[in-house]
Amino acid sequence: MVDQRTGPTTRCDWIEFSKATSLHPGGPLVATARLTGSANTEIATPENWNYEGSISATYVFVPNEHVDKALKYLRTENGVDVYRSELTGKEVFLGRA
């Protein structure tokens, strides 16, 4: 498994991960992965994908010790806790295992 923000979740010799790839010169940086040793530099995205509004553009990480400061609990829906981000004002969904 490869997390789009931090890379492979376990040691993986066959994948190269980069957090500093630009979609175009001077553009925003996104995370990419490719086969180790590959010369391919083309970036593939899902059809109709846009940087604006993507996780790459809007990602926010809140450490457990700061959840009470950064998130306000709103409700639980179908086993998922719903919070409001104090940073963005948007709803954040936290699943429980």
Side-chain angles (χ1 to χ4, degrees), residues 23-45:
L23 296 171
H24 50 80
L29 301 178
V30 296
T32 59
R34 68 178 178 181
L35 184 64
T36 296
S38 173
N40 187 354
T41 59
E42 181 181 357
I43 298 174
T45 63

Side-chain angles (χ1 to χ4, degrees), residues 8-15:
T9 57
T10 61
R11 188 169 182 266
C12 184
D13 294 334
W14 59 269
I15 197 168

Side-chain angles (χ1 to χ4, degrees), residues 26-97:
L29 301 178
V30 296
T32 59
R34 68 178 178 181
L35 184 64
T36 296
S38 173
N40 187 354
T41 59
E42 181 181 357
I43 298 174
T45 63
E47 189 174 338
N48 299 319
W49 181 87
N50 291 303
Y51 178 80
E52 294 75 21
S54 70
I55 291 175
S56 294
T58 61
Y59 176 81
V60 175
F61 175 77
V62 178
N64 287 337
E65 60 270 17
H66 297 288
V67 167
D68 58 333
K69 296 174 190 168
L71 301 174
K72 179 177 180 186
Y73 176 79
L74 299 176
R75 64 188 179 279
T76 298
E77 268 181 25
N78 300 318
V80 176
D81 293 340
V82 183
Y83 294 82
R84 183 181 68 245
S85 168
E86 299 296 347
L87 300 170
T88 66
K90 295 183 178 182
E91 289 187 348
V92 176
F93 304 91
L94 299 176
R96 301 290 177 194

